[in-house]
Amino acid sequence: MPLVTTKEMFQKAYDGGYAIGAFNVNNMEIIQGITEAAKEVNAPLILQVSAGARKYANHTYLVKLVEAALIETDLPIALHLDHGDSFELCKSCIDGGFTSVMIDGSHHSFEENIELTKKVVEYAHERGVTVEGELGRLAGIEDDVNVSDEDASYTRPSEVEEFVTRTGVDSLAIAIGTSHGAYKFKPGQKPQLRFDILKEVEERLPNFPIVLHGASSVIPEFVEMINQNGGNMPDAIGIPEEMLREAAKSAVCKINIDSDLRLAMTGSIRKYMAENPAHFDPRQYLTPARAAIKDLVKKKIVNVLGCDGKA
Ligand code: G3H
Ligand code: 13P
Ligand code: ZN
């Protein structure tokens, strides 16, 4: 099966009350772990590539690895640009075979965000590619840029209809209290999401797919694995799974997960190296790392997203 856009998978997810996992990919083992998990539970997938991933692994390598995953799994997979910050970057990914792009104009003014997003939508739609826009700004780390809590802002529901109508975007990322990275809440702070904002957005945008970024749960098992094997991560806190399950049942059709993959991979590599200090063959420590990603993604699909059996 060739790469698909997000159009059909979002419609099915919206109607079915589940969400698709959008997992960040940076190398072969991550792509294999994610896609093998999805294959086993027959789930559609979004594999997303950030500007940083593209810089690290190279556009062509990532596209070819994802094409290999398509051959191996025969699943509906969309290849998506995560946090595109310019028209040029989006164009380069569209021209280079991606089936979906995000243009993240959330750090611009409302009018500038509309102008930039509209330009990307026009280019993308002429070529059959879907586009995700963003309104509101998440805190946390994105491509080496640290957005402080003060600079973060919730999405204003009153702006969403105008944004969607004027830009023509296919989906909209909103800020309701999730954030990027492993430190989403301060120690002692109770994790909270603004479901009231999500509800109002849903009401204002009927039958329209919403995206949640910064949705890793920061699974304690992996933080402990890192800290018990030479790491030193301070109180890392993520989004509780029950909140994500609730979101997945709503208009939220895409849930972005990267940090949990990083923690699973790093935790298992640290553990392996601590237990086998003389080993130096990357295949030895990358085998449990890939297996940890596979296990994690399978659990996310079945226990949180609800998209198992929907491919
Ligand atoms: O939202 C950001 C994603 O986690 C990607 O992170 O830009 O470091 O690849 P990155
Ligand atoms: P996490 O850092 O919570 O995994 O979020 C990833 C993300 O939003 C990618 O765009
Ligand atoms: Zn993000």
Side-chain angles (χ1 to χ4, degrees):
M1 178 186 300
L3 283 171
V4 298
T5 71
T6 55
K7 194 96 198 151
E8 195 183 332
M9 58 171 87
F10 282 170
Q11 189 61 58
K12 287 185 183 163
Y14 192 98
D15 294 341
Y18 60 88
I20 316 284
F23 299 99
N24 284 72
V25 297
N26 294 278
N27 67 15
M28 183 184 77
E29 284 76 11
I30 296 174
I31 292 173
Q32 288 176 330
I34 297 166
T35 55
E36 284 171 16
K39 177 75 186 164
E40 281 189 15
V41 292
N42 197 32
L45 268 180
I46 298 171
L47 296 179
Q48 54 186 15
V49 169
S50 69
R54 217 163 156 256
K55 201 157 108 193
Y56 168 76
N58 171 303
H59 178 98
T60 313
Y61 279 92
L62 290 170
V63 171
K64 293 296 166 191
L65 285 167
V66 171
E67 283 173 6
L70 283 171
I71 293 168
E72 289 296 321
T73 64
D74 203 30
L75 287 173
I77 299 177
L79 178 56
H80 174 78
L81 169 66
D82 189 28
H83 293 284
D85 64 353
S86 66
F87 173 77
E88 290 69 29
L89 175 56
C90 292
K91 178 180 183 302
S92 170
C93 289
I94 294 165
D95 295 347
F98 283 37
T99 51
S100 177
V101 293
M102 173 189 194
I103 176 68
D104 180 357
S106 60
H107 47 290
H108 294 298
S109 70
F110 185 64
E111 280 303 322
E112 283 166 352
N113 188 358
I114 287 181
E115 197 184 323
L116 176 60
T117 305
K118 190 168 184 273
K119 188 172 169 191
V120 171
V121 168
E122 277 164 10
Y123 190 82
H125 283 182
E126 277 166 19
R127 289 155 185 84
V129 169
T130 43
V131 180
E132 173 186 327
E134 178 164 339
L135 267 183
R137 198 154 188 219
L138 272 68
I141 308 243
E142 248 172 63
D143 249 335
D144 297 335
V145 178
N146 195 345
V147 182
S148 69
D149 288 352
E150 297 78 61
D151 288 338
S153 56
Y154 292 116
T155 302
R156 289 191 201 106
S158 57
E159 292 180 346
V160 298
E161 293 130 300
E162 184 180 351
F163 185 82
V164 166
T165 312
R166 285 178 59 195
T167 59
V169 280
D170 303 281
S171 62
L172 181 68
I174 60 168
I176 60 166
T178 60
S179 66
H180 290 111
Y183 306 99
K184 300 189 191 299
F185 300 96
K186 297 199 173 61
Q189 195 184 355
K190 198 166 165 269
Q192 264 178 338
L193 295 185
R194 292 288 303 273
F195 279 100
D196 58 318
I197 295 180
L198 172 59
K199 192 160 180 284
E200 198 179 336
V201 170
E202 264 183 308
E203 282 164 8
R204 286 173 179 267
L205 296 176
N207 196 25
F208 190 82
I210 300 301
V211 178
L212 270 198
H213 282 246
S216 279
S217 291
V218 188
I219 296 169
E221 175 195 340
F222 294 115
V223 178
E224 274 159 35
M225 211 185 268
I226 290 172
N227 286 346
Q228 280 164 8
N229 293 289
N232 185 16
M233 288 187 66
D235 304 302
I237 308 172
I239 313 295
E241 288 191 343
E242 59 273 20
M243 290 188 189
L244 297 170
R245 268 194 292 275
E246 191 182 335
K249 288 184 193 135
S250 72
V252 171
C253 294
K254 173 175 180 271
I255 292 192
N256 285 12
I257 296 161
D258 187 3
S259 297
D260 277 339
L261 301 174
R262 296 178 180 193
L263 292 166
M265 190 162 206
T266 303
S268 56
I269 292 173
R270 273 195 180 275
K271 183 167 181 283
Y272 184 90
M273 296 309 275
E275 288 169 357
N276 303 278
H279 287 188
F280 59 91
D281 181 342
R283 291 173 298 186
Q284 290 176 317
Y285 57 81
L286 289 173
T287 297
R290 181 172 55 195
I293 287 192
K294 181 175 173 182
D295 187 54
L296 169 81
V297 169
K298 218 166 17 164
K299 285 182 179 146
K300 294 264 181 204
I301 290 172
V302 174
N303 300 337
V304 179
L305 303 160
C307 59
D308 48 310
K310 310 292 187 190

